[in-house]
Amino acid sequence: MATANLERIIDGDGHIMEDIAGIVSYMPDEFKGKSFGEARSERNPFPPIDHLHSANRHITPPGAFANVGPDGWMEFLDEVGVDSTVLYTTSGLGFGKIVSRDWAVMLAQAYNNWVYDTYLRRGDRFQAMGLLPLQEPDAAVEELRRIVQDLGFVGAMLPSTGAQQPHLGDSKFWPVYAEAERLGCALGIHGGAHEGFLMDDMSPYAPINALGHPMGQMVAFAGIIFNGVFDKYPGVRIGFLEAGAAWLLTCMERFNGSWASHVQYDPRGRFLQIREGERVSDYICRHIDEDRIFVGVEGDELALPEAVRLTGNKPYLFSSDYPHEVDANTCKAELDELRENADMSAEDKEAVMYRNAARFYRLAAN
């Protein structure tokens, strides 16, 4: 192939630090009533992400979780040398915990409108994944259609855990997958709410952060794989973000053994459709190769070269996570580690740095 371009970067998972007052201003007046009040208009309409984040004290690196807006994001893109970023929520990572269906619908609309006016109007260096009220699947379908067709979002985020349970492979959510397939947009599953994983009383916080993201993704992935979502909706593209690559290898290994010993009775054909001679890991790799499964990674992951060896380089896309646990310097260091990784080819690095994100989000690749 031609000389690889290891300077081109598409950030597949950046984060917005929300202007809460700004988002509230987009909500209907009926939702700004006495529960907010004139003296409490700054109250966050998003639920707390979990008690593990809020009732704790830990030191993050300098510059992490900086309250950057679009101007700060532009400075970051220029300093690191990133062409464009796909922006996900921060406060909305716990969106699945919202119980009121009406509240979920109105807040998703307000957030998406605010993102459009604040970021997407600035130009195509900002792309965005919207929020959907999965609590009300019919409304989620309508909102997905609106943000993609009318506002130009590249897709929407689904929280890996939360009050929207059952799991994301349940038939309750199939209309959302059908609409994403019809629209040709991306769906990105993102963790962040770490309750309910048998760590609710764990301290310190570091292992909760380390395990919570991959555990949430493994549950979401299992529901989607074993309920045959990719068989039913072959045009759907789903990304599993901010959990690295190693969890995928664990799933492939464990799913092989468990399916071999526990093949599900399936008289209605509701579950995954394994071809003759396939293992579940083969089934997963087939859907990876057909551009249905994508995985967000960072630049310094020990498991990434092995993951590429086992699955090929097609699913993995670089994610800055800015401005959460990183700043421009740490992001540049991660990219340098990726460029210098002797266990990956130049083609692999180019795929991770921008080609896979371009395919997942359907952005210009060149």
Side-chain angles (χ1 to χ4, degrees):
M1 68 178 278
T3 302
N5 182 355
L6 299 185
E7 299 304 318
R8 176 101 195 265
I9 306 162
I10 296 176
D11 174 16
D13 178 14
H15 284 278
I16 289 168
M17 302 301 287
E18 286 86 357
D19 172 5
I20 296 304
I23 293 171
V24 169
S25 72
Y26 283 78
M27 296 186 75
D29 290 340
E30 294 83 355
F31 286 80
K32 305 175 192 173
K34 293 182 179 178
S35 64
F36 283 80
E38 292 183 4
R40 300 184 63 194
S41 61
E42 78 287 352
R43 177 179 167 187
N44 194 335
F46 294 96
I49 193 167
D50 58 39
H51 69 282
L52 299 161
H53 281 79
S54 58
N56 209 321
R57 177 71 178 104
H58 40 267
I59 309 302
T60 54
F65 294 95
N67 190 24
V68 298
D71 291 337
W73 251 109
M74 280 292 187
E75 292 175 6
F76 170 82
L77 296 178
D78 290 340
E79 182 174 353
V80 178
V82 176
D83 288 40
S84 61
T85 184
V86 181
L87 296 169
Y88 286 75
T89 182
T90 294
S91 296
L93 293 176
F95 198 84
K97 299 167 69 68
I98 296 174
V99 175
S100 168
R101 295 183 178 187
D102 292 327
W103 190 268
V105 171
M106 294 297 103
L107 180 54
Q109 293 173 350
Y111 171 85
N112 293 332
N113 289 338
W114 174 81
V115 169
Y116 173 74
D117 285 340
T118 306
Y119 286 89
L120 296 190
R121 285 181 178 271
R122 293 284 295 264
D124 60 8
R125 294 187 76 184
F126 290 140
Q127 305 291 335
M129 296 286 272
L131 290 178
L132 299 181
L134 291 185
Q135 294 85 342
E136 193 71 60
D138 288 345
V141 168
E142 292 179 11
E143 185 63 4
L144 181 61
R145 185 180 308 130
R146 184 183 78 91
I147 63 175
V148 171
Q149 292 185 336
D150 298 344
L151 303 185
F153 282 57
V154 292
M157 185 204 84
L158 311 181
S160 64
T161 57
Q164 90 283 348
Q165 297 299 317
H167 61 82
L168 289 175
D170 190 89
S171 59
K172 172 182 179 180
F173 304 121
W174 291 357
V176 176
Y177 299 127
E179 185 65 12
E181 179 182 50
R182 189 189 73 80
L183 293 167
C185 69
L187 295 174
I189 299 176
H190 207 296
H194 302 322
E195 293 172 324
F197 292 138
L198 303 180
M199 299 187 293
D200 287 348
D201 62 348
M202 183 174 285
S203 187
Y205 178 75
I208 296 167
N209 178 267
L211 298 176
H213 283 286
M215 288 170 71
Q217 293 294 12
M218 291 168 83
V219 172
F221 187 68
I224 288 169
I225 289 294
F226 283 101
N227 284 272
V229 169
F230 295 116
D231 300 313
K232 296 175 180 69
Y233 307 104
V236 79
R237 304 189 312 281
I238 302 179
F240 300 83
L241 302 163
E242 204 169 314
W247 67 269
L248 177 63
L249 307 187
T250 298
C251 283
M252 291 169 65
E253 178 178 300
R254 298 294 298 175
F255 289 175
N256 278 344
S258 292
W259 187 253
S261 59
H262 298 81
V263 178
Q264 184 69 37
Y265 178 58
D266 187 17
R268 293 180 289 169
R270 292 173 60 85
F271 304 121
L272 75 170
Q273 301 298 307
I274 294 285
R275 295 175 179 174
E276 185 175 355
E278 272 190 334
R279 300 170 299 170
V280 179
S281 60
D282 300 321
Y283 172 91
I284 291 168
C285 286
R286 170 160 57 87
H287 289 295
I288 286 173
D289 194 56
E290 294 172 359
D291 282 352
R292 299 184 186 109
I293 298 171
F294 293 82
V295 177
V297 297
E298 298 175 0
D300 56 354
E301 295 184 18
L302 294 174
L304 183 55
E306 179 67 5
V308 169
R309 185 184 72 81
L310 292 172
T311 68
N313 64 28
K314 292 184 71 174
Y316 307 106
L317 50 94
F318 176 75
S319 304
S320 76
D321 198 35
Y322 181 77
H324 284 184
E325 286 91 353
V326 301
D327 60 13
N329 289 329
T330 54
C331 188
K332 285 189 284 188
E334 284 190 13
L335 286 164
D336 286 343
E337 286 197 45
L338 178 58
R339 292 184 180 106
E340 296 165 7
N341 193 318
D343 296 321
M344 295 174 63
S345 70
E347 182 179 0
D348 295 335
K349 297 170 188 177
E350 187 181 60
V352 172
M353 292 174 71
Y354 76 93
R355 289 201 179 277
N356 296 339
R359 288 198 345 276
F360 178 45
Y361 296 113
R362 292 196 173 170
L363 308 175
N366 297 305

